[in-house]
Each structure stands twice: as structure tokens, then as C-alpha cells.
Amino acid sequence: GDSVTQMEGPVTLSEEAFLTINCTYTATGYPSLFWYVQYPGEGLQLLLKATKADDKGSNKGFEATYRKETTSFHLEKGSVQVSDSAVYFCALEVIGTYKYIFGTGTRLKVLA
Amino acid sequence: EAQVTQNPRYLITVTGKKLTVTCSQNMNHEYMSWYRQDPGLGLRQIYYSMNVEVTDKGDVPEGYKVSRKEKRNFPLILESPSPNQTSLYFCASRSPMGIGEKLFFGSGTQLSVL
């Protein structure tokens, strides 16, 4: 079945460092792909999404490109801030089923 | 303000005592769903509903029930809770397809079953 694999955390970075969180997926066809972010004590919020191959989603300085060749959707940010400290989830929507599959989440801690 | 509201925020109960976690959304969304979040396992979908009176199983439905009698509410029912249902639960609704489709999540319910 469809699945999402993302890198284990926690990831600890200094402020202004470059961030990459890896995400790969297994799916039939070309599902929509998402990154959601969970701040402490809150529910998940959509960070960005891409619906077809080669699409680039971007928001708040974060970017991710839908790569069908490598079945990947890696999250990147050029310069992280302390306020980016959160748990990041990669997810896909299984085509034609209204079901969502989430990765295990990657905790990011940014130090001042 | 557009939101998904879950209650209670925290709940401690004992094995076998029926409980209901409520979920309500004010965005007139047709699609709603429930997830549980466990360390190392991420979010797993329990049930989802595509509209009133239409529900379907997610990946981990065992031990849970849902109902969708009206569009705004989607309660999660644990008829006989067990300790392995101790988890953080999230309700979500989804905006219509093709209109910036995304999931809106509630703030979560931390359930402990003793």
C-alpha cells in the first residue's frame, strides 16, 4: 500500500542554518503531497503542498519540490529561525480514496 | 474565525468506561476525519466521513465508532476503552477540492486509559 517515510529526528540547528528534512513516498500514480507543521500544544497546520510532478510548493520561506523520478518531496529552508521549532509531517492523499497517510514526523529544534 | 473544535482537551478514564470525544467545525466542510498520534508512528487515520451519514474506515478503526448525523459534528466514540487507546487524538475537516484544498485540525485531545 501507499506509504510515507521521513527522516528521523530530532534535528537541532543553529539560527540561520540551512534546513533539509527528507521525505520519500510509495504510491500508486501521482498523489498530492503535503507538508504539515505542528507547533507545541497545537494541531497540525498546512505548510505547503504540491499536486503534480515538478510542482514546487512554498510558504514562509519553506520549499519542497515534487520529484516523481526519486519519489521524494524534501522540505528545505535557507535560514531557519527559533520560531520554526516544531514537528514537521510529510503526507500524501491516496488517489481516489479520501485517505491521508502521514509520515512519523520530524522534530526540529532551532537554537538562538 | 474558521476552526475545528474538539472537547475535551484532556481526558483520563478507566478501562471499559464508554466515552465520546466531540468535534465540531464551522466551515461547512463536507469531509471530516479522525486521527491518532503516537510516538514513532506519526498520525494514523481512524475514520473519515465524506458527508452526512457517509463514513468509512481509515487504517486503525478497531475499537472506535463514529457518527455523522449533521455536517458540522463528527464525534468519536470509544465503547469500551482499553489502555492501548491511550493516545493524542485529532479531528480534522477539509476544504473543498479545487479550492486550496487542505486539512484543518483541532487542537487535540490527550486521552489516557488506565
Side-chain angles (χ1 to χ4, degrees):
Chain A
D2 293 15
S3 65
V4 173
T5 302
Q6 59 182 106
M7 62 187 286
E8 298 238 356
V11 174
T12 303
L13 296 173
S14 298
E15 207 165 24
E16 299 184 3
F18 185 85
L19 169 71
T20 299
I21 299 178
N22 291 336
C23 172
T24 57
Y25 67 91
T26 302
T28 302
Y30 302 109
S32 293
L33 301 175
F34 308 85
W35 277 102
Y36 279 83
V37 58
Q38 183 181 33
Y39 298 104
E42 298 183 10
L44 282 71
Q45 306 171 25
L46 179 67
L47 181 59
L48 53 84
K49 72 175 195 179
T51 57
K52 60 183 188 294
D54 299 325
D55 262 4
K56 177 185 282 188
S58 61
N59 186 26
K60 300 181 181 180
F62 291 89
E63 293 183 339
T65 301
Y66 192 142
R67 304 277 189 206
K68 69 176 182 179
E69 304 85 4
T70 54
T71 60
S72 65
F73 193 55
H74 304 321
L75 183 67
E76 297 181 336
K77 187 175 186 183
S79 176
V80 294
Q81 306 299 313
V82 173
S83 56
D84 293 328
S85 298
V87 181
Y88 293 81
F89 291 90
C90 185
L92 64 80
E93 182 179 3
V94 181
I95 294 174
T97 67
Y98 302 95
K99 289 175 64 173
Y100 290 80
I101 294 176
F102 286 80
T104 54
T106 302
R107 182 176 299 278
L108 170 65
K109 185 173 183 179
V110 181
L111 304 176
Chain B
E1 179 189 355
Q3 61 185 0
V4 176
T5 304
Q6 290 178 233
N7 282 296
R9 190 72 187 267
Y10 302 93
L11 180 57
I12 300 174
T13 190
V14 295
T15 299
K17 186 176 181 181
K18 180 179 177 179
L19 66 91
T20 300
V21 183
T22 63
C23 175
S24 178
Q25 50 97 3
N26 63 0
M27 296 167 279
N28 202 37
H29 290 165
E30 293 183 346
Y31 180 99
M32 298 184 74
S33 57
W34 276 102
Y35 301 83
R36 58 178 290 173
Q37 181 179 9
D38 301 289
L41 297 176
L43 267 75
R44 293 178 293 168
Q45 192 168 34
I46 304 171
Y47 269 95
Y48 62 96
S49 169
M50 294 182 329
N51 212 328
V52 175
E53 303 293 359
V54 181
T55 63
D56 208 347
K57 297 177 181 178
D59 293 320
V60 288
E62 296 79 18
Y64 304 95
K65 283 177 56 177
V66 292
S67 69
R68 190 87 183 276
K69 293 185 170 58
E70 47 191 343
K71 187 181 278 191
R72 66 181 292 123
N73 295 323
F74 190 45
L76 180 69
I77 302 157
L78 284 73
E79 294 269 2
S80 182
S82 61
N84 64 12
Q85 292 179 298
T86 292
S87 186
L88 178 58
Y89 292 86
F90 288 100
C91 179
S93 68
R94 190 187 69 187
S95 51
M97 298 289 284
I99 309 177
E101 167 226 336
K102 68 177 183 179
L103 292 170
F104 291 79
F105 283 85
S107 298
T109 296
Q110 180 65 59
L111 172 65
S112 296
V113 183
L114 305 177

